[in-house]
Amino acid sequence: MYRQQILDHYKNPRNYGELEDPDIEHVGENPMCGDTIKMFVELADDGDTIERVRFVGDGCAISQASASMLSGELHGKSLETVEAMDRDDVADMLGVELSPMRIKCAVLAEKVAQDAIAIHKGEADPVETTTE
Amino acid sequence: MSKQAETLDVERIREDFPILEREFDGTQLVYLDNAATTHTPEPVVETITDYYRTYNANVHRGIHQLSQEASVAYEEAHDRVAEFIGASGGREEIVFTKNTTESMNLVAYAWGLNELGPGDEVVLTEMEHHASLVTWQQIAKRTGAECKYVPITDEGRLDMEAARELITDDTAMVSVVHVSNTLGTINPVSELADIAHDHDAYVFVDGAQSVPNRPVDVEAIDADFLAFSGHKMAGPTGIGVLYGKQHILEEMEPYLYGGEMILKVTFEDSKWNELPWKYEAGTPVICQGIALAEACDYLDDIGMERIERHEADLAAYAYDRLREHADVEVYGPPADDRGGLVAFNLDGVHAHDLSSILNDSAVAIRAGDHCTQPLHDVLGTAASARASFYVYNTRAEVDRLVEAVDDARQLFA
Protein backbone atom coordinates (compact mmCIF):
# COMPACT_ATOMS: atom_id res chain seq x y z
CA MET A 1 0.00 0.00 0.00
CA TYR A 2 2.87 2.35 0.77
CA ARG A 3 4.44 2.61 -2.64
CA GLN A 4 7.17 5.16 -3.09
CA GLN A 5 4.97 7.79 -4.68
CA ILE A 6 2.58 7.86 -1.70
CA LEU A 7 5.42 8.10 0.79
CA ASP A 8 6.99 10.85 -1.27
CA HIS A 9 3.79 12.92 -1.32
CA TYR A 10 3.39 12.34 2.43
CA LYS A 11 6.94 13.43 3.26
CA ASN A 12 7.05 16.26 0.70
CA PRO A 13 3.47 17.41 0.20
CA ARG A 14 2.87 19.48 -2.94
CA ASN A 15 0.96 22.76 -2.77
CA TYR A 16 1.21 22.77 0.99
CA GLY A 17 0.26 26.03 2.68
CA GLU A 18 -2.53 28.57 2.88
CA LEU A 19 -3.91 31.17 0.47
CA GLU A 20 -4.52 34.62 1.89
CA ASP A 21 -7.60 35.53 -0.12
CA PRO A 22 -9.08 32.33 -1.54
CA ASP A 23 -12.37 32.16 -3.43
CA ILE A 24 -13.14 28.88 -1.72
CA GLU A 25 -11.98 27.60 1.64
CA HIS A 26 -13.17 24.54 3.54
CA VAL A 27 -12.01 22.15 6.23
CA GLY A 28 -12.74 18.47 6.73
CA GLU A 29 -11.90 15.87 9.31
CA ASN A 30 -12.18 12.20 10.01
CA PRO A 31 -12.81 12.24 13.76
CA MET A 32 -12.09 8.53 14.20
CA CYS A 33 -8.54 8.97 12.89
CA GLY A 34 -7.89 12.60 13.63
CA ASP A 35 -7.12 13.26 9.95
CA THR A 36 -7.76 16.91 9.03
CA ILE A 37 -7.49 18.72 5.70
CA LYS A 38 -8.08 22.39 5.01
CA MET A 39 -8.27 23.44 1.36
CA PHE A 40 -7.89 26.83 -0.26
CA VAL A 41 -8.88 27.44 -3.88
CA GLU A 42 -8.42 30.44 -6.15
CA LEU A 43 -10.54 30.62 -9.32
CA ALA A 44 -9.75 32.15 -12.68
CA ASP A 45 -11.69 35.17 -13.87
CA ASP A 46 -14.35 32.92 -15.39
CA GLY A 47 -15.27 31.96 -11.82
CA ASP A 48 -15.19 28.30 -12.79
CA THR A 49 -11.63 27.22 -13.56
CA ILE A 50 -9.41 26.28 -10.64
CA GLU A 51 -6.26 28.35 -10.82
CA ARG A 52 -4.49 27.70 -7.53
CA VAL A 53 -4.93 25.13 -4.79
CA ARG A 54 -3.23 24.98 -1.42
CA PHE A 55 -3.91 22.74 1.54
CA VAL A 56 -2.78 22.21 5.10
CA GLY A 57 -3.47 19.09 7.06
CA ASP A 58 -2.50 16.52 9.59
CA GLY A 59 -3.04 12.80 9.71
CA CYS A 60 -2.09 9.46 8.21
CA ALA A 61 0.04 9.04 5.09
CA ILE A 62 -2.91 7.96 2.96
CA SER A 63 -5.02 11.03 3.79
CA GLN A 64 -2.19 13.53 3.38
CA ALA A 65 -0.68 11.98 0.25
CA SER A 66 -4.15 11.88 -1.26
CA ALA A 67 -4.61 15.59 -0.54
CA SER A 68 -1.21 16.38 -2.03
CA MET A 69 -1.91 14.44 -5.23
CA LEU A 70 -5.41 15.87 -5.54
CA SER A 71 -4.14 19.41 -5.17
CA GLY A 72 -2.12 18.87 -8.35
CA GLU A 73 -4.99 17.16 -10.17
CA LEU A 74 -7.41 20.00 -9.50
CA HIS A 75 -5.34 22.59 -11.22
CA GLY A 76 -7.04 23.83 -14.42
CA LYS A 77 -10.18 21.79 -13.85
CA SER A 78 -13.69 23.23 -13.88
CA LEU A 79 -15.74 23.08 -10.71
CA GLU A 80 -18.21 20.79 -12.43
CA THR A 81 -15.49 18.31 -13.32
CA VAL A 82 -14.36 18.16 -9.71
CA GLU A 83 -17.91 17.67 -8.51
CA ALA A 84 -18.26 14.71 -10.86
CA MET A 85 -15.20 12.89 -9.45
CA ASP A 86 -15.79 9.74 -7.43
CA ARG A 87 -13.97 7.29 -5.21
CA ASP A 88 -12.51 5.41 -8.15
CA ASP A 89 -10.75 8.55 -9.32
CA VAL A 90 -9.02 8.78 -5.95
CA ALA A 91 -8.08 5.10 -6.03
CA ASP A 92 -6.67 5.52 -9.55
CA MET A 93 -4.73 8.56 -8.45
CA LEU A 94 -3.20 6.70 -5.49
CA GLY A 95 -2.64 3.61 -7.58
CA VAL A 96 -3.16 1.18 -4.72
CA GLU A 97 -5.84 -1.16 -3.46
CA LEU A 98 -7.36 0.25 -0.31
CA SER A 99 -9.14 -1.80 2.34
CA PRO A 100 -12.63 -0.58 3.29
CA MET A 101 -11.22 0.82 6.52
CA ARG A 102 -8.68 2.98 4.72
CA ILE A 103 -10.94 4.31 1.93
CA LYS A 104 -12.21 6.95 4.34
CA CYS A 105 -8.68 8.29 4.75
CA ALA A 106 -8.13 8.37 0.99
CA VAL A 107 -11.31 10.17 -0.02
CA LEU A 108 -11.29 12.86 2.66
CA ALA A 109 -9.50 15.42 0.46
CA GLU A 110 -11.84 14.80 -2.46
CA LYS A 111 -14.85 15.18 -0.22
CA VAL A 112 -13.54 18.42 1.24
CA ALA A 113 -13.05 19.81 -2.28
CA GLN A 114 -16.50 18.73 -3.42
CA ASP A 115 -18.26 20.06 -0.32
CA ALA A 116 -16.33 23.29 -0.66
CA ILE A 117 -17.52 23.71 -4.24
CA ALA A 118 -21.11 22.77 -3.43
CA ILE A 119 -21.19 25.36 -0.63
CA HIS A 120 -19.52 27.95 -2.87
CA LYS A 121 -22.15 27.43 -5.58
CA GLY A 122 -24.97 27.53 -3.06
CA GLU A 123 -25.92 23.91 -3.83
CA ALA A 124 -25.38 22.82 -0.25
CA ASP A 125 -26.01 24.41 3.11
CA PRO A 126 -22.83 25.82 4.57
CA VAL A 127 -21.33 23.45 7.12
CA GLU A 128 -18.35 24.35 9.21
CA THR A 129 -16.63 21.02 8.81
CA THR A 130 -16.96 18.11 6.44
CA THR A 131 -16.73 14.81 8.24
CA GLU A 132 -15.95 11.53 6.58
CA MET B 1 15.99 -12.50 23.14
CA SER B 2 12.63 -14.07 23.61
CA LYS B 3 12.94 -16.29 26.63
CA GLN B 4 9.40 -17.22 27.60
CA ALA B 5 8.45 -16.95 31.23
CA GLU B 6 7.19 -20.43 32.00
CA THR B 7 3.85 -19.50 33.44
CA LEU B 8 1.71 -21.25 30.83
CA ASP B 9 2.09 -24.21 28.50
CA VAL B 10 1.39 -21.97 25.53
CA GLU B 11 2.25 -24.61 22.96
CA ARG B 12 -0.42 -26.88 24.36
CA ILE B 13 -2.94 -24.02 24.65
CA ARG B 14 -2.38 -22.96 21.03
CA GLU B 15 -3.60 -26.38 19.87
CA ASP B 16 -7.06 -25.31 21.05
CA PHE B 17 -7.05 -22.29 18.73
CA PRO B 18 -6.73 -23.44 15.08
CA ILE B 19 -7.33 -19.89 13.84
CA LEU B 20 -3.81 -19.03 15.04
CA GLU B 21 -2.39 -21.30 12.34
CA ARG B 22 -3.71 -19.05 9.59
CA GLU B 23 -1.13 -17.70 7.20
CA PHE B 24 -1.23 -14.63 5.01
CA ASP B 25 1.05 -14.82 1.95
CA GLY B 26 2.98 -17.57 3.69
CA THR B 27 3.44 -15.66 6.95
CA GLN B 28 1.81 -16.97 10.09
CA LEU B 29 -0.69 -14.71 11.82
CA VAL B 30 0.41 -12.92 14.99
CA TYR B 31 -2.82 -11.94 16.70
CA LEU B 32 -2.34 -9.09 19.16
CA ASP B 33 -5.82 -7.56 19.22
CA ASN B 34 -7.16 -9.46 22.19
CA ALA B 35 -8.46 -6.42 24.04
CA ALA B 36 -10.88 -6.04 21.11
CA THR B 37 -11.82 -9.70 20.98
CA THR B 38 -10.16 -12.99 21.90
CA HIS B 39 -10.29 -16.20 19.93
CA THR B 40 -12.50 -19.11 20.82
CA PRO B 41 -10.98 -22.40 21.96
CA GLU B 42 -12.20 -25.73 20.63
CA PRO B 43 -14.09 -26.75 23.81
CA VAL B 44 -16.18 -23.57 23.57
CA VAL B 45 -16.78 -24.04 19.84
CA GLU B 46 -17.82 -27.65 20.60
CA THR B 47 -20.22 -26.43 23.27
CA ILE B 48 -21.88 -24.17 20.69
CA THR B 49 -22.18 -26.87 18.03
CA ASP B 50 -23.30 -29.41 20.63
CA TYR B 51 -26.07 -27.06 21.75
CA TYR B 52 -27.41 -26.58 18.23
CA ARG B 53 -26.94 -30.22 17.27
CA THR B 54 -28.48 -31.86 20.30
CA TYR B 55 -30.61 -29.68 22.60
CA ASN B 56 -31.49 -26.37 20.90
CA ALA B 57 -34.82 -25.12 22.30
CA ASN B 58 -36.34 -22.05 23.83
CA VAL B 59 -35.98 -21.83 27.59
CA HIS B 60 -38.58 -21.62 30.34
CA ARG B 61 -41.51 -22.23 27.99
CA GLY B 62 -41.58 -25.82 26.96
CA ILE B 63 -42.52 -28.86 28.97
CA HIS B 64 -40.77 -30.99 26.39
CA GLN B 65 -37.41 -32.65 26.97
CA LEU B 66 -35.30 -30.35 24.76
CA SER B 67 -36.62 -27.23 26.45
CA GLN B 68 -35.92 -28.72 29.85
CA GLU B 69 -32.34 -29.54 28.91
CA ALA B 70 -31.75 -26.09 27.44
CA SER B 71 -33.38 -24.39 30.44
CA VAL B 72 -31.27 -26.25 32.97
CA ALA B 73 -28.04 -25.60 31.04
CA TYR B 74 -28.91 -21.92 30.63
CA GLU B 75 -29.78 -21.43 34.30
CA GLU B 76 -26.68 -23.29 35.45
CA ALA B 77 -24.57 -21.08 33.19
CA HIS B 78 -25.59 -18.15 35.43
CA ASP B 79 -24.38 -20.09 38.48
CA ARG B 80 -21.08 -20.89 36.79
CA VAL B 81 -20.47 -17.24 35.89
CA ALA B 82 -21.40 -16.20 39.45
CA GLU B 83 -18.79 -18.61 40.79
CA PHE B 84 -16.21 -17.31 38.33
CA ILE B 85 -16.39 -13.78 39.78
CA GLY B 86 -17.06 -14.74 43.40
CA ALA B 87 -20.73 -13.74 43.53
CA SER B 88 -22.02 -15.81 46.45
CA GLY B 89 -25.63 -14.91 45.62
CA GLY B 90 -25.43 -17.20 42.57
CA ARG B 91 -27.68 -16.80 39.56
CA GLU B 92 -29.84 -14.10 41.20
CA GLU B 93 -26.92 -11.71 40.88
CA ILE B 94 -26.00 -12.53 37.26
CA VAL B 95 -27.90 -10.97 34.33
CA PHE B 96 -26.98 -12.03 30.82
CA THR B 97 -26.91 -9.14 28.34
CA LYS B 98 -25.49 -8.53 24.89
CA ASN B 99 -22.18 -7.04 26.01
CA THR B 100 -20.51 -4.75 28.57
CA THR B 101 -22.10 -1.71 26.96
CA GLU B 102 -25.60 -3.10 27.34
CA SER B 103 -24.88 -4.04 30.97
CA MET B 104 -23.85 -0.44 31.57
CA ASN B 105 -26.95 0.90 29.82
CA LEU B 106 -29.19 -1.45 31.77
CA VAL B 107 -28.13 0.15 35.04
CA ALA B 108 -28.06 3.65 33.56
CA TYR B 109 -31.66 3.33 32.34
CA ALA B 110 -33.13 1.16 35.09
CA TRP B 111 -31.45 2.95 37.99
CA GLY B 112 -30.00 6.19 36.63
CA LEU B 113 -33.08 7.58 34.88
CA ASN B 114 -35.22 6.90 37.95
CA GLU B 115 -32.85 7.88 40.72
CA LEU B 116 -30.66 10.70 39.37
CA GLY B 117 -31.68 14.35 39.35
CA PRO B 118 -30.30 17.88 39.64
CA GLY B 119 -27.70 18.07 42.39
CA ASP B 120 -26.66 14.42 41.96
CA GLU B 121 -23.22 13.61 40.64
CA VAL B 122 -21.77 10.67 38.75
CA VAL B 123 -18.02 10.35 39.19
CA LEU B 124 -16.14 8.79 36.27
CA THR B 125 -12.48 8.76 35.31
CA GLU B 126 -10.64 10.31 32.38
CA MET B 127 -9.74 6.82 31.21
CA GLU B 128 -13.31 5.53 30.89
CA HIS B 129 -14.31 3.64 27.76
CA HIS B 130 -17.11 5.27 25.76
CA ALA B 131 -19.32 2.43 27.05
CA SER B 132 -19.54 4.13 30.42
CA LEU B 133 -18.52 7.67 29.55
CA VAL B 134 -21.13 8.28 26.84
CA THR B 135 -23.79 6.38 28.77
CA TRP B 136 -23.50 8.37 32.00
CA GLN B 137 -22.90 11.62 30.12
CA GLN B 138 -26.22 11.23 28.29
CA ILE B 139 -28.15 9.98 31.31
CA ALA B 140 -26.82 12.97 33.26
CA LYS B 141 -28.06 15.32 30.52
CA ARG B 142 -31.50 13.79 30.66
CA THR B 143 -31.77 13.87 34.46
CA GLY B 144 -29.99 17.12 35.26
CA ALA B 145 -27.24 15.27 37.12
CA GLU B 146 -23.59 16.16 36.61
CA CYS B 147 -20.61 14.02 35.53
CA LYS B 148 -17.21 14.57 37.08
CA TYR B 149 -13.98 12.98 35.94
CA VAL B 150 -11.10 11.78 38.11
CA PRO B 151 -7.97 13.01 36.30
CA ILE B 152 -4.96 10.86 35.48
CA THR B 153 -1.40 11.48 36.57
CA ASP B 154 1.53 11.84 34.17
CA GLU B 155 2.15 8.13 34.65
CA GLY B 156 -1.38 7.28 33.58
CA ARG B 157 -2.73 6.38 37.00
CA LEU B 158 -5.81 7.75 38.70
CA ASP B 159 -5.13 10.79 40.86
CA MET B 160 -6.55 9.28 44.05
CA GLU B 161 -6.23 12.52 45.99
CA ALA B 162 -8.47 14.16 43.39
CA ALA B 163 -10.80 11.16 43.58
CA ARG B 164 -11.21 11.69 47.33
CA GLU B 165 -12.17 15.30 46.71
CA LEU B 166 -14.49 14.59 43.79
CA ILE B 167 -16.44 11.83 45.54
CA THR B 168 -18.75 13.59 48.01
CA ASP B 169 -22.18 13.16 49.57
CA ASP B 170 -23.59 14.48 46.28
CA THR B 171 -22.11 11.49 44.45
CA ALA B 172 -24.71 8.87 43.57
CA MET B 173 -22.58 6.63 41.36
CA VAL B 174 -18.87 6.04 40.84
CA SER B 175 -18.31 4.30 37.50
CA VAL B 176 -14.74 3.18 37.00
CA VAL B 177 -12.86 1.01 34.56
CA HIS B 178 -10.93 -1.79 36.33
CA VAL B 179 -8.14 -2.14 33.77
CA SER B 180 -7.80 0.66 31.21
CA ASN B 181 -8.14 -0.62 27.63
CA THR B 182 -5.75 2.12 26.47
CA LEU B 183 -3.27 2.77 29.28
CA GLY B 184 -3.21 -0.71 30.75
CA THR B 185 -3.54 0.86 34.18
CA ILE B 186 -4.85 -1.45 36.89
CA ASN B 187 -7.09 0.78 38.96
CA PRO B 188 -7.55 0.47 42.76
CA VAL B 189 -11.27 -0.34 42.42
CA SER B 190 -11.57 -1.68 45.97
CA GLU B 191 -10.22 1.56 47.41
CA LEU B 192 -12.60 3.55 45.19
CA ALA B 193 -15.49 1.37 46.35
CA ASP B 194 -14.62 2.16 49.98
CA ILE B 195 -14.57 5.89 49.26
CA ALA B 196 -17.85 5.69 47.36
CA HIS B 197 -19.56 3.68 50.08
CA ASP B 198 -18.40 6.19 52.72
CA HIS B 199 -20.61 8.65 50.83
CA ASP B 200 -23.47 6.18 50.20
CA ALA B 201 -22.73 6.05 46.48
CA TYR B 202 -22.81 2.93 44.32
CA VAL B 203 -19.77 1.63 42.47
CA PHE B 204 -19.99 0.28 38.93
CA VAL B 205 -16.82 -1.54 37.85
CA ASP B 206 -16.19 -1.95 34.10
CA GLY B 207 -14.50 -5.35 34.07
CA ALA B 208 -14.25 -5.77 30.29
CA GLN B 209 -10.44 -5.78 30.42
CA SER B 210 -9.99 -7.39 33.86
CA VAL B 211 -12.35 -10.35 34.20
CA PRO B 212 -10.80 -12.10 31.15
CA ASN B 213 -7.25 -12.08 32.45
CA ARG B 214 -7.00 -11.94 36.26
CA PRO B 215 -8.86 -13.25 39.28
CA VAL B 216 -11.73 -10.85 39.96
CA ASP B 217 -13.75 -11.24 43.16
CA VAL B 218 -16.73 -8.87 43.24
CA GLU B 219 -17.14 -9.30 46.98
CA ALA B 220 -13.48 -8.60 47.74
CA ILE B 221 -13.80 -5.43 45.64
CA ASP B 222 -17.22 -4.75 47.18
CA ALA B 223 -18.52 -3.68 43.77
CA ASP B 224 -22.23 -2.94 43.55
CA PHE B 225 -22.18 -3.63 39.83
CA LEU B 226 -19.66 -5.28 37.52
CA ALA B 227 -19.92 -5.64 33.75
CA PHE B 228 -17.93 -7.69 31.25
CA SER B 229 -18.17 -9.33 27.81
CA GLY B 230 -17.94 -12.97 26.79
CA HIS B 231 -16.03 -12.44 23.54
CA LYS B 232 -13.04 -10.92 25.34
CA MET B 233 -12.62 -14.04 27.49
CA ALA B 234 -12.59 -16.97 25.06
CA GLY B 235 -16.38 -16.95 24.78
CA PRO B 236 -18.65 -16.04 21.88
CA THR B 237 -19.90 -12.61 20.84
CA GLY B 238 -23.43 -11.62 21.75
CA ILE B 239 -23.11 -12.30 25.47
CA GLY B 240 -22.30 -9.85 28.22
CA VAL B 241 -22.75 -10.05 31.95
CA LEU B 242 -24.13 -7.66 34.52
CA TYR B 243 -23.35 -8.56 38.11
CA GLY B 244 -25.40 -6.63 40.65
CA LYS B 245 -25.77 -7.02 44.38
CA GLN B 246 -28.99 -8.91 44.92
CA HIS B 247 -30.74 -6.31 47.07
CA ILE B 248 -30.05 -3.61 44.47
CA LEU B 249 -31.27 -5.72 41.57
CA GLU B 250 -34.41 -6.48 43.58
CA GLU B 251 -35.12 -2.79 44.12
CA MET B 252 -34.39 -1.66 40.55
CA GLU B 253 -37.09 -1.47 37.90
CA PRO B 254 -36.70 -3.57 34.73
CA TYR B 255 -34.96 -2.09 31.71
CA LEU B 256 -36.69 -4.05 28.95
CA TYR B 257 -40.29 -5.25 29.02
CA GLY B 258 -41.79 -8.28 27.35
CA GLY B 259 -41.99 -12.02 27.67
CA GLU B 260 -39.84 -14.06 30.06
CA MET B 261 -39.39 -11.13 32.47
CA ILE B 262 -42.94 -11.34 33.83
CA LEU B 263 -44.65 -13.52 36.41
CA LYS B 264 -48.26 -12.49 35.85
CA VAL B 265 -49.85 -10.25 33.25
CA THR B 266 -53.35 -8.76 33.00
CA PHE B 267 -54.66 -6.08 30.66
CA GLU B 268 -54.13 -3.56 33.44
CA ASP B 269 -50.77 -4.48 34.98
CA SER B 270 -47.85 -6.91 35.22
CA LYS B 271 -45.77 -8.48 37.96
CA TRP B 272 -42.09 -9.03 37.40
CA ASN B 273 -40.36 -12.37 37.34
CA GLU B 274 -37.72 -13.31 39.90
CA LEU B 275 -34.04 -12.48 39.57
CA PRO B 276 -32.28 -12.58 37.24
CA TRP B 277 -35.04 -13.24 34.65
CA LYS B 278 -36.69 -9.90 35.50
CA TYR B 279 -33.86 -8.31 33.48
CA GLU B 280 -33.79 -10.81 30.63
CA ALA B 281 -36.83 -9.92 28.52
CA GLY B 282 -37.60 -11.97 25.43
CA THR B 283 -35.77 -15.07 24.27
CA PRO B 284 -32.37 -14.66 25.92
CA VAL B 285 -28.83 -15.43 24.72
CA ILE B 286 -29.19 -19.14 25.41
CA CYS B 287 -26.37 -20.72 23.43
CA GLN B 288 -23.98 -17.84 24.11
CA GLY B 289 -24.66 -18.04 27.85
CA ILE B 290 -23.99 -21.77 27.96
CA ALA B 291 -20.81 -21.24 25.90
CA LEU B 292 -19.66 -18.50 28.27
CA ALA B 293 -19.92 -20.93 31.17
CA GLU B 294 -17.70 -23.31 29.20
CA ALA B 295 -15.22 -20.47 28.64
CA CYS B 296 -15.13 -19.96 32.42
CA ASP B 297 -14.26 -23.64 32.81
CA TYR B 298 -11.57 -23.33 30.16
CA LEU B 299 -9.94 -20.32 31.82
CA ASP B 300 -10.19 -21.78 35.32
CA ASP B 301 -8.51 -24.96 34.10
CA ILE B 302 -5.56 -22.84 32.98
CA GLY B 303 -5.76 -20.79 36.18
CA MET B 304 -6.59 -17.09 36.38
CA GLU B 305 -3.53 -16.26 38.49
CA ARG B 306 -1.27 -17.89 35.92
CA ILE B 307 -3.04 -16.04 33.09
CA GLU B 308 -2.48 -12.78 34.96
CA ARG B 309 1.25 -13.51 35.35
CA HIS B 310 1.55 -14.58 31.70
CA GLU B 311 -0.05 -11.35 30.47
CA ALA B 312 2.01 -9.20 32.82
CA ASP B 313 5.16 -10.86 31.47
CA LEU B 314 4.21 -10.23 27.85
CA ALA B 315 3.14 -6.63 28.53
CA ALA B 316 6.39 -5.89 30.37
CA TYR B 317 8.43 -7.50 27.60
CA ALA B 318 6.60 -5.55 24.89
CA TYR B 319 6.88 -2.32 26.88
CA ASP B 320 10.65 -2.70 27.24
CA ARG B 321 11.28 -3.83 23.67
CA LEU B 322 9.17 -1.08 22.08
CA ARG B 323 10.97 1.52 24.16
CA GLU B 324 14.38 0.40 22.92
CA HIS B 325 13.97 3.22 20.39
CA ALA B 326 13.44 6.76 21.63
CA ASP B 327 10.92 7.46 18.85
CA VAL B 328 8.31 5.17 20.41
CA GLU B 329 6.03 6.54 23.09
CA VAL B 330 4.23 3.95 25.19
CA TYR B 331 1.26 5.23 27.18
CA GLY B 332 0.46 4.32 30.76
CA PRO B 333 2.29 2.97 33.81
CA PRO B 334 5.72 1.33 33.75
CA ALA B 335 6.45 -2.20 32.59
CA ASP B 336 6.11 -3.93 35.94
CA ASP B 337 2.64 -2.60 36.74
CA ARG B 338 0.20 -2.89 33.88
CA GLY B 339 -2.47 -5.11 32.38
CA GLY B 340 -1.79 -7.18 29.28
CA LEU B 341 -1.70 -4.46 26.66
CA VAL B 342 0.51 -1.66 25.37
CA ALA B 343 -0.75 1.37 23.46
CA PHE B 344 1.93 3.33 21.69
CA ASN B 345 2.85 5.68 18.89
CA LEU B 346 5.84 5.71 16.57
CA ASP B 347 6.95 9.29 15.99
CA GLY B 348 6.09 10.49 12.46
CA VAL B 349 3.89 7.51 11.59
CA HIS B 350 0.15 7.68 12.11
CA ALA B 351 -1.25 4.69 14.02
CA HIS B 352 -3.38 3.70 11.03
CA ASP B 353 -0.34 3.64 8.76
CA LEU B 354 1.52 1.64 11.36
CA SER B 355 -1.30 -0.87 11.63
CA SER B 356 -1.47 -1.22 7.83
CA ILE B 357 2.27 -1.89 7.65
CA LEU B 358 2.07 -4.39 10.52
CA ASN B 359 -0.77 -6.09 8.66
CA ASP B 360 1.61 -6.61 5.72
CA SER B 361 3.68 -8.73 8.16
CA ALA B 362 0.55 -10.58 9.34
CA VAL B 363 0.70 -8.82 12.71
CA ALA B 364 -2.82 -7.86 13.85
CA ILE B 365 -3.08 -4.93 16.22
CA ARG B 366 -5.68 -2.24 16.83
CA ALA B 367 -5.17 1.33 15.71
CA GLY B 368 -7.44 4.23 16.49
CA ASP B 369 -8.94 5.82 19.56
CA HIS B 370 -9.92 2.51 21.24
CA CYS B 371 -13.27 4.06 22.24
CA THR B 372 -11.47 6.48 24.55
CA GLN B 373 -11.51 9.74 22.58
CA PRO B 374 -11.48 12.06 25.61
CA LEU B 375 -8.51 10.14 27.05
CA HIS B 376 -6.67 10.52 23.75
CA ASP B 377 -7.35 14.28 23.99
CA VAL B 378 -5.65 14.20 27.40
CA LEU B 379 -2.75 12.22 25.90
CA GLY B 380 -2.52 14.80 23.10
CA THR B 381 -2.95 12.38 20.20
CA ALA B 382 -5.89 11.45 17.99
CA ALA B 383 -5.00 7.80 17.75
CA SER B 384 -2.63 5.16 19.00
CA ALA B 385 -1.55 1.66 18.09
CA ARG B 386 -2.34 -1.04 20.63
CA ALA B 387 -1.02 -4.56 21.05
CA SER B 388 -2.95 -6.69 23.52
CA PHE B 389 -2.21 -10.21 24.66
CA TYR B 390 -3.92 -13.40 25.73
CA VAL B 391 -3.20 -16.93 26.87
CA TYR B 392 -1.89 -18.07 23.50
CA ASN B 393 0.61 -15.26 22.83
CA THR B 394 4.36 -15.62 23.13
CA ARG B 395 7.44 -13.44 23.50
CA ALA B 396 8.44 -14.56 20.00
CA GLU B 397 5.24 -12.92 18.74
CA VAL B 398 6.18 -9.71 20.56
CA ASP B 399 9.49 -9.90 18.69
CA ARG B 400 7.54 -10.13 15.41
CA LEU B 401 5.64 -7.00 16.45
CA VAL B 402 8.85 -5.12 17.20
CA GLU B 403 10.41 -6.21 13.89
CA ALA B 404 7.34 -4.97 12.00
CA VAL B 405 7.55 -1.63 13.84
CA ASP B 406 11.19 -1.47 12.69
CA ASP B 407 9.98 -1.98 9.11
CA ALA B 408 7.59 0.95 9.47
CA ARG B 409 10.36 3.10 10.93
CA GLN B 410 12.57 2.39 7.93
CA LEU B 411 9.78 2.89 5.40
CA PHE B 412 8.92 6.31 6.77
CA ALA B 413 12.49 7.41 7.54
Side-chain angles (χ1 to χ4, degrees), chain B residues 90-95 106-107 110-111 202 224-225 242-254 272-279:
Chain B
R91 68 181 66 169
E92 285 86 352
E93 297 186 315
I94 300 294
V95 179
L106 193 162
V107 174
W111 173 85
Y202 285 147
D224 299 295
F225 300 100
L242 172 70
Y243 159 84
K245 283 180 179 166
Q246 191 170 341
H247 71 93
I248 304 175
L249 291 181
E250 275 166 0
E251 288 162 15
M252 266 170 30
E253 285 294 305
W272 312 139
N273 203 343
E274 334 171 307
L275 292 177
W277 324 122
K278 165 182 159 185
Y279 294 103

Side-chain angles (χ1 to χ4, degrees), chain A residues 57-127:
Chain A
D58 190 23
C60 71
I62 301 295
S63 70
Q64 301 304 306
S66 173
S68 171
M69 288 181 191
L70 186 72
S71 68
E73 290 277 323
L74 294 182
H75 191 86
K77 283 203 162 60
S78 73
L79 297 183
E80 208 175 326
T81 314
V82 178
E83 282 185 294
M85 288 177 73
D86 59 19
R87 289 183 169 212
D88 290 343
D89 294 318
V90 175
D92 289 349
M93 188 179 74
L94 290 167
V96 290
E97 287 265 334
L98 286 168
S99 64
M101 293 297 290
R102 300 307 301 276
I103 285 281
K104 283 163 102 61
C105 310
V107 300
L108 178 61
E110 183 191 54
K111 199 151 181 254
V112 171
Q114 290 175 334
D115 279 9
I117 292 168
I119 294 166
H120 173 75
K121 292 168 90 173
E123 293 166 0
D125 291 336
V127 286

Side-chain angles (χ1 to χ4, degrees), chain B residues 12 29 33 60 63 75 120 171 233 235 286 352 373 391:
Chain B
R12 161 70 203 86
L29 165 71
D33 194 17
H60 299 153
I63 307 293
E75 289 178 4
D120 290 327
T171 308
M233 51 183 289
I286 306 167
H352 282 169
Q373 285 181 8
V391 291

Side-chain angles (χ1 to χ4, degrees), chain B residues 145-164:
Chain B
E146 193 183 344
C147 286
K148 300 209 158 171
Y149 298 91
V150 179
I152 58 167
T153 65
D154 290 344
E155 226 181 36
R157 300 179 199 278
L158 289 182
D159 181 341
M160 289 301 287
E161 220 170 289
R164 276 185 203 91

Side-chain angles (χ1 to χ4, degrees), chain B residues 62-200:
Chain B
I63 307 293
H64 59 79
Q65 181 65 24
L66 287 185
S67 179
Q68 285 180 45
E69 287 177 21
S71 299
V72 167
Y74 183 66
E75 289 178 4
E76 286 179 349
H78 289 71
D79 297 332
R80 181 65 189 91
V81 171
E83 186 198 342
F84 189 73
I85 57 165
S88 59
R91 68 181 66 169
E92 285 86 352
E93 297 186 315
I94 300 294
V95 179
F96 283 170
T97 62
K98 182 173 70 183
N99 48 32
T100 303
T101 300
E102 189 181 276
S103 300
M104 195 77 69
N105 275 270
L106 193 162
V107 174
Y109 278 85
W111 173 85
L113 274 189
N114 288 314
E115 301 294 333
L116 292 176
D120 290 327
E121 292 176 358
V122 176
V123 174
L124 305 149
T125 78
E126 286 184 345
M127 62 175 96
E128 288 312 292
H129 188 282
H130 294 166
S132 71
L133 197 155
V134 178
T135 303
W136 291 116
Q137 177 194 70
Q138 294 305 313
I139 293 292
K141 278 191 178 179
R142 285 170 66 167
T143 57
E146 193 183 344
C147 286
K148 300 209 158 171
Y149 298 91
V150 179
I152 58 167
T153 65
D154 290 344
E155 226 181 36
R157 300 179 199 278
L158 289 182
D159 181 341
M160 289 301 287
E161 220 170 289
R164 276 185 203 91
E165 282 169 21
L166 285 171
I167 300 169
T168 67
D169 288 343
D170 291 330
T171 308
M173 171 66 79
V174 176
S175 189
V176 58
V177 65
H178 193 175
V179 172
S180 163
N181 76 324
T182 304
L183 299 169
T185 317
I186 304 158
N187 286 320
V189 284
S190 174
E191 198 182 332
L192 283 163
D194 285 346
I195 300 169
H197 292 153
D198 283 346
H199 295 282
D200 291 327

Side-chain angles (χ1 to χ4, degrees), chain A residues 1-2 7 10-11 31-35 59-62 102 105, chain B residues 348-350 352-353 356-357 360 368-369 373 382-383 411-413:
Chain A
M1 186 188 290
Y2 296 88
L7 288 168
Y10 175 59
K11 291 176 200 169
M32 297 299 278
C33 319
D35 298 338
C60 71
I62 301 295
R102 300 307 301 276
C105 310
Chain B
V349 184
H350 191 282
H352 282 169
D353 293 324
S356 288
I357 293 161
D360 291 341
D369 57 43
Q373 285 181 8
L411 197 59
F412 277 76

